[in-house]
Amino acid sequence: IAIANAKIAYARFEEIFSGDRWERLASGGAHEQRPLWASTGTKNPSYPDTLYVDSLIGPRTVNTVPPATLTAFLDHGATEETLRLQRDAARRELEQLARHGIRLEEVAAQLQAEGLEAFDRAFHALLDGISAKATQLGGRWFPSKPQLGEIDRSVEEALQEIHARKVVSRIWAHDHTVWSDSEREISDRLGWLHVADAMKKALRALDRFAAEVHEEGYRDALLLGMGGSSLAPEVFAKVFGPLASGGLSLTVLDTTDPEPIQSCTERLDPTRTLVIVSTKSGTTEETLSLLRHFYQWKRRSLGKGRTGEGMVAITDPGSPLQRLAEAYGFRRTFLNDPTIGGRYAALSHVGLVPAALTGMEVGRLLDRARAMADECHAQEENDAAWLGAVLAACAAQGRDKVTFSATGAIAPFLDWVEQLIAESTGKRGQGILPVVGEPMVGSDLYGDDRIFVDLRLFGDSSDNESLRTLRKAGHPVIQRWFADRYDLGREFFLWEFATAMAGHRLGIHPFNQPDVEAAKARAREAVQAYRQSGRLPEDPAHRPSGDALPTFLRQAKPGDYVALQAYVAPREDVDAALQQLRATILGTYPVATTVGYGPRFLHSTGQLHKGDGGNGLFVQIVSDAVQDLPIPDGMEDSASSITFGT
């Protein structure tokens, strides 16, 4: 059929480019568009290896022949003009095909679409390869290793042990003994190693889903989630935004403060907003409270029968959220791989469903992740293994404050890295503290508990002087370059693998979060107790005063850190005030500072705060809600026994 179709196409070519009309065009300088027979190798071994060369010979044609086929043709091909032979037989074959119900036009359209997609992927892979090589030549790591005497030797010894014990290959083999004698929450938490390959198979479905909701008039997406369910989507929303006319504007809501909840309620149109509810367990109290509020918000505009059309769930199979979504007729439930933990889920449905809705090229992101995964198979010259060894060696020698900086569009990535490291390593009386967004100060104000990591887009040389000053002062500085924003795919996987390797070196189980789970259980208990009694526990608090905070902070000693935990509405003016407070603390006391909005930080850095060596000083900033909002007791129950501001 392919040869018959080519012969009829060639006949049409000769008809178009002949006669008086064509001669007039040619005399005016027109050029004919010659038929091109593309990639004419033979894939079916039962066919002659020169079939698509021998059968497609004719004047004014082009044949792009694979090298092996060209060699075969030179050896035993037939040089006869064949395209003009048996045209009537070719027409009969095509007519017979139609009588069997096969529409050649539809087949050709599908093949053309698939071919264009393949060429597009190949073209972007070529560009990505050039970018990656340019970045490599420009120094993706600068310097490649920190030169710090004992730490440098410790890293080299660690890499030798990693190689001798075949740790990299054991990780890929899902060997739980890399981290623990028990396989509990390890053997069933390693799906992230292969998620990029798995999600490539889901790309078409994601693209169709994104196109479908846009065609139906949705213009915004509102994601409700906490911790690992919200941080990667937030990275995509901030780094990429709505990229094209087909992309939705994504808002991530991971707070219970009434002010931003009310803002979303007023700003968004319930008839044109797709609400995405994301929770691995399906039981996260904050997320389910937000779900009940926004379900009723949509119901008031759409009516009971249509509310579910604008609701989407992302959860594990068999979770309470899956059952709830089925009961209330949600538009779609994406069941995530249950062997992927929340903070390792950026490249799964958790991150990629929202990413696809923004109009991102999700396939391009996954290609970068797959390239890094391939690199992470290497037993030697493995960037992720090296990085994990550095983090662990520094932590073992007291440099357990990884101070991050990032420039430009990639800065939002740091909030995701913060949770990954803190929740993975903060347990059993130790941990690595990620310090994100801290104001830069003079190198003399940093203690010897620091290691610095700088992330930036390739070619960005801003603030290099500060990094040089830190190196001169003896601090380890690692610099990581992004070829472009889609290198997020590489970095997600690299930091996951590096964190898992650091856990191995420190003797820490990097995939569980016992204190976070306990906090979630206590939150559910507290909510239930309040509904029954109407009272909250009484805790001592200090009104702001001139000496209360300084008196508290004077306890700080080298190696400690101050965590500002702000249970207030996230706003730009609040951000600025918290940053000013951090700068003041940093300039007065020899300690690192972190900031987290509540309750968000409980699902991000909370595990480290509870599980590390106890060297944190915690300042909680609270305020009364100016405008409170009730939390519905049920999906369709207007009664409320508790509010978001409680």
Side-chain angles (χ1 to χ4, degrees):
I1 295 300
I3 293 171
N5 186 56
K7 288 185 175 184
I8 300 307
Y10 184 70
R12 179 62 176 150
F13 158 75
E14 290 192 311
E15 179 184 338
I16 292 172
F17 294 99
S18 63
D20 293 341
R21 177 177 176 273
W22 168 246
E23 289 176 3
R24 288 195 303 273
L25 291 171
S27 65
H31 297 278
E32 66 184 11
Q33 185 175 356
R34 293 182 291 167
L36 183 149
W37 319 121
S39 300
T40 48
T42 304
K43 296 180 176 62
N44 190 330
S46 64
Y47 289 173
D49 55 1
T50 60
L51 175 65
Y52 296 115
V53 180
D54 295 343
S55 305
L56 300 176
I57 298 175
R60 300 144 67 198
T61 61
V62 178
N63 194 321
T64 56
V65 185
T69 305
L70 178 60
T71 300
F73 182 77
L74 292 173
D75 178 66
H76 53 267
T79 55
E80 177 185 2
E81 186 178 315
T82 51
L83 274 170
R84 290 174 174 151
L85 301 177
Q86 299 179 326
R87 285 182 177 173
D88 290 340
R91 289 190 178 91
R92 287 195 297 271
E93 288 180 10
L94 297 183
E95 290 168 359
Q96 186 177 7
L97 189 71
R99 286 196 295 271
H100 285 287
I102 300 174
R103 295 180 57 83
L104 189 59
E105 295 85 354
E106 294 178 359
V107 174
Q110 180 179 344
L111 289 173
Q112 178 172 285
E114 292 175 353
L116 288 172
E117 183 180 348
F119 278 117
D120 182 69
R121 285 198 305 269
F123 180 68
H124 279 102
L126 174 64
L127 294 181
D128 291 345
I130 293 171
S131 296
K133 189 63 176 179
T135 303
Q136 181 183 5
L137 294 174
R140 185 178 285 275
W141 294 95
F142 180 73
S144 60
K145 296 180 181 179
Q147 303 297 317
L148 286 176
E150 288 298 322
I151 288 178
D152 194 34
R153 286 193 290 274
S154 296
V155 171
E156 189 58 39
E157 291 170 2
L159 291 173
Q160 291 174 5
E161 288 184 13
I162 288 168
H163 181 68
R165 296 176 181 176
K166 297 181 170 56
V167 175
V168 170
S169 58
R170 287 166 58 202
I171 289 175
W172 284 104
H174 293 207
D175 181 355
H176 66 272
T177 64
V178 169
W179 300 281
S180 172
D181 291 336
S182 170
E183 64 179 359
R184 180 180 173 83
E185 291 189 280
I186 297 178
S187 296
D188 60 352
R189 287 293 182 272
L190 295 174
W192 58 273
L193 287 167
H194 315 283
V195 68
D197 286 331
M199 290 304 297
K200 272 297 255 190
K201 299 174 184 177
L203 272 182
R204 285 194 178 182
L206 289 179
D207 289 342
R208 283 196 300 268
F209 174 71
E212 171 189 296
V213 297
H214 186 267
E215 288 170 4
E216 291 187 17
Y218 289 96
R219 293 296 176 263
D220 289 279
L222 174 63
L223 185 135
L224 315 176
M226 302 296 296
S229 296
S230 65
L231 288 170
E234 184 179 68
V235 171
F236 295 135
K238 290 182 176 180
V239 172
F240 290 93
L243 287 176
S245 59
L248 305 189
S249 178
L250 174 63
T251 299
V252 176
L253 198 58
D254 59 353
T255 181
T256 54
D257 189 284
E259 185 176 318
I261 298 171
Q262 183 63 28
S263 174
C264 288
T265 303
E266 295 173 352
R267 176 176 60 85
L268 299 174
D269 180 350
T271 66
R272 305 183 78 187
T273 299
L274 188 72
V275 176
I276 308 166
V277 189
S278 184
T279 160
K280 174 179 172 64
S281 66
T283 61
T284 305
E285 187 65 36
E286 297 94 331
T287 303
L288 296 181
S289 297
L290 291 168
L291 165 59
R292 293 194 291 274
H293 171 82
F294 283 100
Y295 181 87
Q296 294 200 11
W297 169 70
K298 289 183 72 70
R299 186 180 177 218
R300 287 192 291 272
S301 296
L302 297 172
K304 180 178 179 180
R306 294 187 54 212
T307 303
E309 295 175 8
M311 307 291 295
V312 173
I314 305 173
T315 189
D316 277 5
S319 78
L321 178 58
Q322 181 189 4
R323 295 192 292 272
L324 185 147
E326 292 171 354
Y328 287 92
F330 279 25
R331 179 188 199 97
R332 184 78 176 268
T333 297
F334 291 92
L335 296 178
N336 211 43
D337 181 349
T339 67
I340 301 175
R343 59 187 174 275
Y344 289 83
L347 297 169
S348 72
H349 283 108
V350 169
L352 299 190
V353 170
L357 290 170
T358 69
M360 278 179 58
E361 296 178 54
V362 175
R364 193 173 174 189
L365 184 86
L366 287 173
D367 286 341
R368 304 288 181 91
R370 294 167 81 195
M372 176 53 70
D374 288 343
E375 293 175 28
C376 286
H377 278 86
Q379 302 302 310
E380 299 180 11
E381 300 300 322
N382 183 324
D383 280 353
W386 177 82
L387 177 58
V390 170
L391 295 176
C394 286
Q397 297 192 29
R399 290 188 180 271
D400 57 358
K401 315 293 190 304
V402 185
T403 304
F404 285 93
S405 59
T407 60
I410 59 173
F413 175 71
L414 298 185
D415 288 337
W416 176 85
V417 173
E418 180 183 41
Q419 187 212 15
L420 175 71
I421 295 176
E423 201 166 80
S424 296
T425 67
K427 56 200 77 169
R428 297 182 62 180
Q430 57 182 321
I432 299 172
L433 176 75
V435 181
V436 171
E438 189 178 60
M440 290 291 290
V441 295
S443 60
D444 58 319
L445 294 178
Y446 295 116
D448 59 5
D449 58 346
R450 301 272 192 153
I451 173 175
F452 293 85
V453 176
D454 180 73
L455 308 177
R456 60 182 60 209
L457 287 167
F458 183 65
D460 183 351
S461 59
S462 62
D463 207 27
N464 267 340
E465 185 57 38
S466 296
L467 300 178
R468 282 192 286 268
T469 301
L470 289 170
R471 290 192 190 99
K472 288 179 181 178
H475 294 292
V477 177
I478 297 171
Q479 202 163 12
R480 182 81 180 163
W481 296 90
F482 285 57
D484 57 33
R485 292 177 297 175
Y486 282 96
D487 253 5
L488 282 171
R490 293 179 59 89
E491 299 304 305
F492 279 130
F493 194 90
L494 175 130
W495 284 96
E496 288 170 351
F497 201 96
T499 301
M501 184 62 75
H504 161 72
R505 295 298 304 168
L506 293 171
I508 292 172
H509 184 328
F511 307 116
N512 67 359
Q513 51 283 331
D515 294 302
V516 170
E517 296 303 328
K520 288 181 180 180
R522 285 195 291 271
R524 290 191 290 270
E525 292 168 2
V527 168
Q528 187 61 31
Y530 179 85
R531 283 180 170 144
Q532 293 174 355
S533 67
R535 294 195 307 273
L536 290 172
E538 294 291 334
D539 286 320
H542 296 278
R543 290 285 178 184
S545 67
D547 59 352
L549 184 58
T551 299
F552 175 71
L553 293 178
R554 277 195 286 272
Q555 303 174 66
K557 56 186 182 298
D560 287 346
Y561 65 92
V562 174
L564 304 177
Q565 301 171 340
Y567 281 88
V568 297
R571 295 195 311 263
E572 288 186 5
D573 60 328
V574 177
D575 289 342
L578 290 170
Q579 286 297 88
Q580 181 59 51
L581 179 55
R582 292 180 81 177
T584 301
I585 294 171
L586 192 57
T588 308
Y589 307 95
V591 293
T593 64
T594 66
V595 165
Y597 281 102
R600 167 184 169 129
F601 75 84
L602 292 172
H603 301 264
S604 177
T605 54
Q607 174 61 50
L608 181 131
H609 294 162
K610 300 176 180 70
D612 69 3
N615 54 332
L617 284 80
F618 304 102
V619 179
Q620 291 200 342
I621 303 167
V622 299
S623 66
D624 294 327
V626 176
Q627 180 181 8
D628 208 348
L629 288 173
I631 300 174
D633 287 340
M635 293 286 283
E636 297 179 342
D637 188 348
S638 59
S640 172
S641 55
I642 191 170
T643 66
F644 282 107
T646 300

